[in-house]
Amino acid sequence: MSAAPVGPAHPVFVDVDTGVDDAMALAYLFASPEADLVGIASTAGNVGVHEVCRNNLALLELCGITGVPVSTGSEIPLSAPLRTAEDTHGPQGLGYAELPEPTAAPTSYDAAEAWVRAAHAHPGELVGIATGPLTNLALALRAEPALPQLLRRLVIMGGSFDYRGNTTPVAEWNTSVDPEATQQVYAAWRDAQELPIVLGLNLTETVVMTPALLDRLAREADPQADIRQRPNPLIRVLSDAMRFYFEFHESQGEGYLAHLHDPVAAAVALDPELVTCRPAAVDVELTGTLTRGMTIADWSGHWGREPHALIGVDVDPAAFFDRFITRVAGFARQLAHPGPSDHS
Ligand code: BDR
Ligand code: CA
């Protein structure tokens, strides 16, 4: 197994619609020494925003992490009615997993303000990750148009480039829920020095979690345990969540497996070398009657615009899983010997 390179720690702010694979992404961030998690924004998407917020708070508490503020975002997209995906992520967003009601409360300020506060607190340093609809980030840009200059890096899970959609024949879920927000975020990064990294389904659907990989995670987390009992608290929650996600993918005719979209974004945010990207101008279809929410990369310069995003086009899934499993299993092992860890 390849040893995971560990770079310097960076302040990280993550915007999620937790969501089974968002939860897996959070677990990866909790487990990663390069991530100094300074805040979590909750976005309406896979489930309603209050469920998302509850899931984020509950996951932090499950993992004994204090000092990471969680903020509630807008209840609805910028201009479209909210759609949610309980069929994909379960009634509360975490599949079959059940977490106790969290004791902590969300911040008094909203998720858009949380983005701005985090960027101002760490100018030029903050690594931003968005694995849900971009509603909060678009609203944050209205309050602070200089966000693209203030961030060190932005990694977005969303879109689908020269590839099928998962919500309509051509549109990916995060973009499809709030196409206007996506369009505004892409546009805002046009003059940024650091191009955002955009990971669409063309890339993330190559990263396939299987029951065998999930068993490997459980075994590495707790080599002594009977695997069927899943005694480790974090692994039990992730396994119960993933079981629902596997079943959903199977119901779609894809097999008993699941695409780990959001953990790839988390991993790439901490180590962009994990993916190969191609620069391109990107945009979102807002008006097409059949194609609303479709993302387009202008690889050939037809629009005459400078490239303003780096589109992920290749990843080594085995390298990703080696790193994911090593880190999350190691972190889960520590939870068996509880003791609060303060990320503030
Ligand atoms: C994206 O949609 C959501 O359901 C997942 O959490 C992921 O962020 C994939 O299209
Ligand atoms: Ca998500």
Side-chain angles (χ1 to χ4, degrees):
M1 184 178 304
S2 59
V6 175
H10 295 297
V12 171
F13 184 87
V14 63
D15 192 323
V16 286
D17 63 334
T18 317
V20 174
D21 58 331
D22 304 79
M24 297 285 276
L26 288 173
Y28 184 82
L29 292 174
F30 298 165
S32 291
E34 309 96 330
D36 172 15
L37 196 57
V38 299
I40 301 177
S42 312
T43 290
N46 290 324
V47 286
V49 73
H50 299 292
E51 285 300 335
V52 171
C53 206
R54 179 192 171 279
N55 291 341
N56 295 334
L57 289 164
L59 284 166
L60 284 168
E61 289 189 16
L62 173 75
C63 294
I65 296 172
T66 56
V68 177
V70 175
S71 304
T72 311
S74 170
E75 291 186 4
I76 49 171
L78 292 188
S79 34
L82 176 66
R83 280 169 299 146
T84 52
E86 285 82 0
D87 60 334
T88 314
H89 294 269
Q92 272 85 46
L94 292 178
Y96 294 118
E98 286 179 12
L99 285 168
E101 198 59 36
T103 55
T107 59
S108 56
Y109 49 89
D110 70 11
E113 189 175 337
W115 268 104
V116 176
R117 285 185 182 215
H120 283 166
H122 306 280
E125 289 303 316
L126 191 68
V127 174
I129 308 170
T131 66
L134 295 176
T135 316
N136 295 331
L137 187 50
L139 292 171
L141 281 162
R142 293 180 187 176
E144 178 47 282
L147 266 186
Q149 287 73 40
L150 285 165
L151 292 194
R152 174 193 185 92
R153 178 181 302 141
L154 175 65
V155 177
I156 296 169
M157 189 285 127
S160 187
F161 298 93
D162 301 339
Y163 190 76
R164 64 176 182 180
N166 62 0
T167 304
T168 76
V170 295
E172 178 277 335
W173 173 258
N174 290 337
T175 305
S176 185
V177 169
D178 200 339
E180 281 76 14
T182 311
Q183 196 264 342
Q184 290 174 24
V185 169
Y186 285 169
W189 255 260
R190 260 181 213 144
D191 299 322
Q193 280 188 326
E194 286 299 319
L195 305 187
I197 298 174
V198 182
L199 307 178
L201 299 178
N202 53 296
L203 184 103
T204 61
E205 286 202 355
T206 68
V207 179
V208 177
M209 181 59 126
T210 61
L213 284 165
L214 196 58
D215 279 350
R216 191 177 130 198
L217 173 67
R219 271 197 309 275
E220 288 194 23
D222 200 345
Q224 309 301 325
D226 176 345
I227 226 159
R228 283 159 304 178
Q229 293 178 5
R230 300 267 185 266
N232 185 286
L234 176 58
I235 299 301
R236 188 185 310 126
V237 163
L238 296 181
S239 298
D240 287 349
M242 285 303 302
R243 200 166 72 252
F244 192 98
Y245 214 32
F246 285 154
E247 289 174 7
F248 167 74
H249 284 74
E250 188 175 43
S251 76
Q252 300 300 297
E254 304 193 58
Y256 196 73
L257 47 79
H259 303 127
L260 279 202
H261 311 280
D262 296 346
V264 182
V268 169
L270 303 187
D271 181 6
E273 298 292 314
L274 278 172
V275 279
T276 305
C277 292
R278 281 180 66 192
V282 285
D283 218 326
V284 184
E285 178 60 76
L286 297 180
T287 54
T289 52
L290 298 175
T291 54
R292 180 170 156 80
M294 179 182 184
T295 48
I296 301 134
D298 180 16
W299 304 116
S300 312
H302 291 291
W303 297 334
R305 293 191 212 152
E306 287 297 312
H308 60 106
L310 297 171
I311 312 295
V313 293
D314 196 23
V315 63
D316 177 352
F320 164 79
F321 277 113
D322 281 351
R323 199 173 295 187
F324 182 88
I325 289 173
T326 302
R327 289 185 175 199
V328 176
F331 178 69
R333 267 198 309 274
Q334 287 174 17
L335 290 180
H337 309 282
S341 75
D342 193 332
H343 274 235
S344 62

